Amino acid sequence: MTDEELKARLPAAIAARVRSLRIAEGRVTAILDASGLDAQGRSDIEAAVKDTLGRTEGVAEVRVAMMADRPARRIIAIGSGKGGVGKSTLTTNLAVALARAGRKVGIVDADIYGPSQPKLLANEGERPVAENDKLVPVESRWGVRVLSMGHLVEPGRAIAWRGPMAGRALGQLIDAQWGDTELLLVDLPPGTGDVQLTMLQRFKPAGAVIVSTPQDLALIDATRAMQMFEAGGVPVVGLVENMAGYACPHCGEISDPFGAGGGEATAAEKGVPFLGRIPLALGIREASDTGTPPAAGDDAHGEAFRAIGDRLVRWLDGADT
Ligand SMILES: Nc1ncnc2c1ncn2[C@@H]1O[C@H](COP(=O)(O)OP(=O)(O)OP(=O)(O)O)[C@@H](O)[C@H]1O
Ligand SMILES: [Mg+2]
């Protein structure tokens, strides 16, 4: 009896789930796709396979393995047109906020040439291992898994790769052993270059969060980034305004070095949700530099990041932001 003949004995609905089926020395090993089945469904199918094949001549033993459901992992890209507006800071803090809310979150630091996440998550010294040719993400203190080029090259060493190599490197970070991670936040480099295009074409994010400062020039670039995602069929979850309003640490007076309200107005103009505003604050910069994400704490800054995290969760859960 050949592998194919054995498979043909199974009812069509079960045969359709067979990922591999082999017989060797009277022992059958069947691997089935268990997607969408509950525990009862799995055990019914396992029993049916054992029963049907076990009654076949020449079969002494039947082993059935169920492939675990592939988690429906979604990718959210964090992008901006302009550099230095706070994408990496927002990515870290959104991830920490979502992990606090019980989500299984990972970060892919797609800034291949200038990685930030190892520093922001205070795990610069970590080195991911590879298993079955795939990288295993590094665990951070806040329950956020992360993969970054910064974990693979020596700190401070410049990477001088051409576009296609950067694209391949990004592929290895995304197509890694993410396990039960439900959500991958991808911290993009600024602009609309090779890495962003690879991201759009090969890994089709479920949505994109756009970061901008309230400044006109940054907003023009943010609009360009939104257009890039929309042209690639990736919905824009919304716009975050970062570095909005500066509270003087001495007198408390609020000034607006980059203007005020521009992000909200641009979001309204482009018809995308406004996800919230993060102030320009010395505390955010200092906490970020020392690898203690404000979203892990309970002060007003943490609160501001978590409010944006809540809106992202609502979007992911299919509600309006
Ligand atoms: N709301 C804020 N208040 C104060 N400092 C901030 C704030 N957001 C970000 N920063 C600081 O601004 C700098 C740039 O932020 P970040 O690295 O997150 O930007 P980016 O958009 O990822 O930059 P790049 O385009 O280079 O990747 C960092 O030093 C960061 O700590
Ligand atoms: Mg960055």
Side-chain angles (χ1 to χ4, degrees):
M1 180 102 13
T2 65
D3 298 347
E4 279 308 310
E5 287 169 329
L6 278 171
K7 186 174 164 185
R9 297 193 152 224
L10 295 170
I14 297 182
R17 290 187 176 270
V18 170
R19 289 289 162 268
S20 96
L21 192 156
R22 297 237 159 74
I23 180 162
E25 292 163 20
R27 179 189 289 161
V28 175
T29 309
I31 301 178
L32 302 175
D33 179 359
S35 306
L37 295 174
D38 58 13
Q40 184 62 49
R42 286 176 191 223
S43 71
D44 287 349
I45 286 191
E46 185 174 336
V49 172
K50 285 190 166 165
D51 183 50
T52 309
L53 300 184
R55 282 189 278 110
T56 307
E57 220 185 276
V59 174
E61 192 190 345
V62 181
R63 291 181 174 180
V64 178
M66 295 279 180
M67 254 168 40
D69 288 1
R70 233 190 100 130
R73 181 172 309 135
R74 285 191 281 180
I75 295 178
I76 296 291
I78 317 290
S80 75
K82 198 173 172 301
V85 296
K87 290 174 295 301
S88 302
T89 309
L90 179 73
T91 305
T92 312
N93 284 283
L94 278 183
V96 169
L98 266 60
R100 251 178 90 144
R103 304 276 164 152
K104 296 198 165 66
V105 200
I107 294 179
V108 168
D109 186 350
D111 203 335
I112 307 287
Y113 304 103
S116 307
Q117 292 301 331
K119 185 163 188 207
L120 285 162
L121 288 165
N123 58 11
E124 281 174 293
E126 302 265 351
R127 292 286 172 267
V129 293
E131 251 171 39
N132 302 326
D133 270 352
K134 289 190 175 185
L135 291 169
V136 180
V138 166
E139 296 276 349
S140 76
R141 213 181 306 160
W142 297 277
V144 173
R145 294 170 178 157
V146 59
L147 274 178
S148 168
M149 228 3 101
H151 287 126
L152 297 170
V153 298
E154 278 168 48
R157 242 184 73 185
I159 304 175
W161 282 340
R162 287 177 212 273
M165 275 177 82
R168 265 201 299 283
L170 176 61
Q172 289 188 11
L173 302 185
I174 294 182
D175 187 18
Q177 308 262 19
W178 285 102
D180 60 359
T181 305
E182 316 161 77
L183 181 69
L184 275 189
L185 299 183
V186 179
D187 177 11
L188 287 174
T192 50
D194 283 316
V195 168
Q196 289 82 348
L197 287 177
T198 303
M199 188 66 222
L200 279 176
Q201 289 161 359
R202 275 185 57 202
F203 300 106
K204 194 74 183 240
V209 171
I210 307 294
V211 190
S212 181
T213 60
Q215 203 180 350
D216 288 348
L217 278 178
L219 284 163
I220 291 171
D221 289 348
T223 302
R224 209 169 284 143
M226 283 192 248
Q227 281 161 352
M228 173 189 76
F229 284 111
E230 277 165 355
V234 174
V236 172
V237 180
L239 184 87
V240 172
E241 186 178 85
N242 188 28
M243 307 189 186
Y246 176 70
C248 171
H250 305 294
C251 67
E253 190 198 344
I254 302 211
S255 51
D256 295 305
F258 298 123
E264 197 161 4
T266 301
E269 196 183 305
K270 301 296 166 203
V272 304
F274 182 65
L275 298 179
R277 171 177 289 129
I278 306 287
L280 175 69
L282 192 58
I284 293 180
R285 217 262 302 136
E286 284 173 347
S288 301
D289 279 356
T290 54
T292 44
D298 292 312
D299 66 3
H301 300 148
E303 204 49 60
F305 282 114
R306 284 199 301 279
I308 296 172
D310 287 344
R311 304 192 86 162
L312 175 57
V313 164
R314 285 207 288 282
W315 186 89
L316 289 165
D317 291 348
D320 284 339
T321 48

